[in-house]
Amino acid sequence: MTALPPDIGSARRAFPPGFAWGTATAAYQIEGAVAEDGRTPSIWDTFSHTPGKVDGGDTGDIAVDHYHRFREDVRMMADLGLTSYRFSIAWPRVQPTGRGPASERGLDFYRALTDELLAHGITPVATLYHWDLPQELENPSNGGPAGDGGWPARETAYRFADYAALAAEALGDRVPTWITLNEPWCSAFLGYGAGVHAPGRTDPGDALRAAHHLNLGHGLAVGALRAALPASAQVSVSLNLHVVRPLGDRPQDLEAARRIDAVGNRIWTGPMFRARYDEDLLEDTAHLVDWDALVHDGDLTETSRPIDLLGLNYYNPTVVSASADPEHRPREDGHGSGAHSPWPGADAVAFHRANDDVTAMGWPIDPTGLSDALLTMHREFGLPLIISENGAAFQDTVAPDGTVHDPERTAYLRRHLDAVADAIDAGADVRGYFLWSLLDNFEWAYGYDKRFGIIHVDYDTLVRTPKSSAHWYAEVIRRGGPD
Ligand code: IFM
C-alpha cells in the first residue's frame, strides 16, 4: 500500500496537543435551587413565570437539579474523560441584589464545584453572564434618565464590572479561564428587541442601548478581571457570530447580508477589537437611537481592552435576501417569530434555511459555516480561538433497555469536529471545543422540549443516562480527535 502524503489521511484530523475537550452548560439551564442559599430572582425567573412566555409553562425552578447533584455530574464528566468544563456563574446567587458585597453562601457553591472539577483533573472555564441578570437591576429603580433598568441602562455595565471583580477575587485562584458575556446578541436583541427572551421588552432603541452597554460592561469587566486575577489567567468572550450568506448575488441581497453582518456581528467585534462602531451600522440605526448621546468619550477605549482568547458559539449559517414586503418581520431561526424584530435597522431582510437537513430546533446542519467562521475570525482578529458552544437538539428516546441511541447527534458532532480540524489545517489557532451541552436542560423559551445533552435527563426522576453520543465523544477524547 502506498503511504499517504503527510497532509492527508490520519494526520489530517489531528488536534493540537493540550487541546481542551469540553462541554458547556449555563446556570439557569441546569442548576435549579432558585430560592436557596440567598439566591434572588433573575430576569429569567420572572420571564419564565410569566404565562405564555415559555413553552409548556416550564421554568428553571428545578431544571436538572445540578445545584444538588453537581458531584454526580462531575463524576460523569470524569468518566467521559473531559479535560475542561465551561459553566456559568449565576449573578443573583453571588450578588443577590446586583450590587454591594458578595454572598459567601452563593460563592461556596462555585468553590465546591470548581474544587470538585479540579480534583477530577478537569479545568474549569467560568462564564460570568449567561443571561441571568438580577431582577433587581432590571427594575425601573435601577434607572438611567428614562427610569428604565436592565442593559439599556448604562448603570448595569458598571454593576457587571463590580460583580466580575467579586467573582474573580473569590474564584481566581482556581479558575484559569474567564468568559465575560455569553452571546450578547441574544441578550440585547432577543431580550429587548424581539422580546422572546427575558426580560421580554420590545423596543429597538432599547435593544441598541443594551448592545452598547453590554459592550461597555464587557470591557469594564475585562479590566476588573485583570486587576483581580493572576497574570496567567485568560480572559475571553463568547460571541454567536452569524455566518451570513446572501441567497444570491443580486445587489439587494448583498445589501441585506451587509445589514445583518453589521447588527449581528460588527456591533460586537467593532467596539471589542477595533474600538469603533462602523459607519454603516450607525447609519442603518440612526433613526432608532442617538449614538452620540449613547457612546460617551472613552467608552470605546474600555470596550476594546485586549482579551486573550475569542469564543465562538456556532450552530448554523444565516442565509438572507432582500425582502420586498415592508411588513416582513425578520426572525432568528429557532428563536421565535413574534411581531417584533431582533434585527433593528434591517427590516427589509428575509431569512432562509441553508438546507432542509435540520435539527429538532429547525436549524440547518452545515458544518462549513463553522470552518468559515473560525478562519474569518483567525484572519480578522489574530486571536487564539475556542468553540465555546456547538451541538444539536434531536428527539431522543429511551429504549426499553434504558439506553439512549442518538446517531444523528453523533453524526452532527463528527462533521463539526471535522470542520474544526479543517480550520486548524488551514491555519486557525483553535485551542478547544466545548460541546453544547453536557446534560439535557432548560432550553429557554422552548422549555424542556428540546434536548441538547449528550447525557439524557429523565425530567421526572432526574436520572442521568449517557447517550451513545457521549460514549462516542469519550472515545474521541481518548484518541485526541475523531477518526
Ligand atoms: O441553550 C443555548 C445556550 O444557552 C446559548 N447558546 C445556544 C444554546 C442552544 O440554543
Side-chain angles (χ1 to χ4, degrees):
M1 195 175 131
T2 317
L4 292 170
D7 60 338
I8 55 173
S10 59
R12 200 171 75 83
R13 298 300 83 165
F15 284 72
F19 190 82
W21 292 103
T23 57
T25 63
Y28 189 69
Q29 294 181 272
I30 63 167
E31 284 181 3
V34 291
E36 280 183 50
D37 296 328
R39 182 190 180 280
T40 56
S42 75
I43 55 174
W44 265 98
D45 295 271
T46 308
F47 188 77
S48 66
H49 279 268
T50 305
K53 297 296 186 191
V54 174
D55 288 355
D58 293 344
T59 72
D61 288 3
I62 298 173
V64 299
D65 197 32
H66 174 73
Y67 192 76
H68 299 114
R69 295 167 196 249
F70 70 92
R71 291 186 202 283
E72 176 190 349
D73 294 338
V74 172
R75 190 167 34 74
M76 295 185 95
M77 294 181 216
D79 289 346
L80 295 178
L82 297 187
T83 64
S84 198
Y85 173 57
R86 174 181 174 233
F87 63 98
S88 82
I89 298 172
W91 186 351
R93 225 181 256 298
V94 308
Q95 199 189 27
T97 61
R99 42 169 69 82
S103 154
E104 289 304 317
R105 286 190 297 165
L107 285 169
D108 280 347
F109 170 68
Y110 298 105
R111 290 190 181 104
L113 171 64
T114 48
D115 282 350
E116 194 72 10
L117 289 165
L118 292 168
H120 285 82
I122 300 169
T123 305
V125 174
T127 305
L128 284 165
Y129 187 71
H130 201 125
W131 308 351
D132 40 6
L133 184 73
Q135 179 62 45
E136 184 91 5
L137 294 186
E138 176 63 30
N139 292 340
S141 55
N142 177 44
D148 285 337
W151 286 106
R154 188 175 171 88
E155 170 77 4
T156 302
Y158 293 92
R159 300 285 65 79
F160 180 60
D162 289 353
Y163 151 64
L166 294 176
E169 279 155 16
L171 302 168
D173 58 344
R174 60 195 89 189
V175 178
T177 304
W178 291 75
I179 293 171
T180 54
L181 305 172
N182 181 71
E183 300 182 358
W185 183 86
C186 297
S187 300
F189 297 115
L190 299 181
Y192 293 92
V196 295
H197 275 198
R201 286 162 60 180
T202 54
D203 180 310
D206 277 343
L208 291 162
R209 276 183 279 277
H212 178 60
H213 296 142
L214 283 155
N215 282 323
L216 181 61
H218 157 81
L220 293 168
V222 172
L225 290 172
R226 296 272 189 230
L229 294 174
S232 58
Q234 294 200 300
V235 177
S236 182
V237 64
S238 288
L239 301 177
N240 56 328
L241 294 179
H242 298 79
V243 179
V244 188
R245 293 175 174 163
L247 186 65
D249 55 8
R250 298 183 309 163
Q252 57 269 45
D253 294 343
L254 303 181
E255 166 65 6
R258 180 200 63 72
R259 281 182 186 259
I260 296 304
D261 178 50
V263 77
N265 298 332
R266 287 182 282 121
I267 196 167
W268 314 111
T269 57
M272 287 184 189
F273 302 115
R274 307 195 198 288
R276 68 168 193 240
Y277 286 106
D278 287 346
E279 277 306 318
D280 62 330
L281 167 69
L282 300 182
E283 283 166 20
D284 291 348
T285 55
H287 58 297
L288 299 170
V289 75
D290 179 352
W291 284 97
D292 287 339
L294 178 62
V295 182
H296 295 194
D297 283 351
D299 279 6
L300 293 167
T301 307
E302 287 297 344
T303 60
S304 58
R305 281 176 183 266
I307 58 174
D308 307 299
L309 199 61
L310 177 52
L312 170 70
N313 293 2
Y314 174 80
Y315 291 90
N316 55 272
T318 303
V319 180
V320 298
S321 69
S323 164
D325 175 3
E327 292 305 312
H328 180 82
R329 287 288 174 192
R331 72 186 179 99
E332 171 71 352
D333 256 348
H335 284 293
S337 57
H340 301 278
S341 171
W343 300 104
D347 282 338
V349 175
F351 289 73
H352 306 268
R353 276 190 173 166
N355 60 58
D356 291 329
D357 182 15
V358 295
T359 69
M361 298 293 283
W363 296 350
I365 301 172
D366 184 348
T368 64
L370 178 52
S371 35
D372 286 357
L374 290 169
L375 283 168
T376 304
M377 290 160 74
H378 168 67
R379 279 193 294 264
E380 287 201 13
F381 311 118
L383 280 170
L385 306 170
I386 55 170
I387 296 97
S388 40
E389 284 183 26
N390 174 242
F394 289 104
Q395 298 293 354
D396 305 316
T397 50
V398 184
D401 66 357
T403 59
V404 183
H405 189 49
D406 59 339
E408 304 100 324
R409 182 172 291 101
T410 300
Y412 177 101
L413 296 171
R414 182 194 299 275
R415 292 178 63 197
H416 283 77
L417 282 174
D418 263 346
V420 177
D422 287 343
I424 294 172
D425 286 352
D429 179 3
V430 186
R431 306 277 174 95
Y433 177 85
F434 292 82
L435 193 166
W436 186 273
S437 184
L438 176 70
L439 298 153
D440 289 338
N441 60 47
F442 176 78
E443 177 53 26
W444 308 111
Y446 295 92
Y448 294 99
D449 191 43
K450 307 292 182 204
R451 293 178 177 272
F452 274 89
I454 54 169
I455 296 178
H456 179 272
V457 179
D458 179 319
Y459 290 122
D460 293 326
T461 62
L462 297 174
V463 165
R464 280 97 158 115
T465 306
K467 304 177 189 176
S468 54
S469 59
H471 299 301
W472 175 83
Y473 192 47
E475 192 57 19
V476 168
I477 297 171
R478 202 180 60 75
R479 294 181 185 207
D483 282 340

